Amino acid sequence: MKVSPRNNQNGRLKVQVFSSDGTELVPCNAARARRLIKNKQAKVRTVNPYSIELNRSVNPDA
């Protein structure tokens, strides 16, 4: 599957990240997203725009 994340101001590719309960988190770079998917810590949520969903819940207050 070809990944088409969005570019930020620095020209780096960013992927939107969501926790398992649907909370929107800070975007990560494409390399980290690929690593999380490969290690089965995340799954692809949508392809266009490309986003991933973590397999665990994240407490945003911590």
Side-chain angles (χ1 to χ4, degrees), residues 13-34:
L13 301 175
K14 290 293 185 177
V15 175
Q16 186 59 46
V17 180
F18 294 88
S19 67
S20 63
D21 61 357
T23 305
E24 189 173 345
L25 303 172
V26 177
C28 70
N29 61 24
R32 178 171 286 175
R34 284 193 303 270

Side-chain angles (χ1 to χ4, degrees), residues 4-53:
S4 59
R6 58 190 167 141
N7 289 325
N8 67 0
Q9 295 84 4
N10 299 331
R12 294 188 177 152
L13 301 175
K14 290 293 185 177
V15 175
Q16 186 59 46
V17 180
F18 294 88
S19 67
S20 63
D21 61 357
T23 305
E24 189 173 345
L25 303 172
V26 177
C28 70
N29 61 24
R32 178 171 286 175
R34 284 193 303 270
R35 193 174 331 118
L36 288 168
I37 292 169
K38 181 180 176 182
N39 294 332
K40 300 189 181 189
Q41 296 176 351
K43 62 183 177 179
V44 177
R45 185 174 188 191
T46 60
V47 176
N48 193 11
Y50 197 78
S51 64
I52 62 171
E53 183 175 330

Side-chain angles (χ1 to χ4, degrees), residues 49-61:
Y50 197 78
S51 64
I52 62 171
E53 183 175 330
L54 299 177
N55 292 334
R56 60 185 170 88
S57 181
V58 177
N59 184 359
D61 297 331

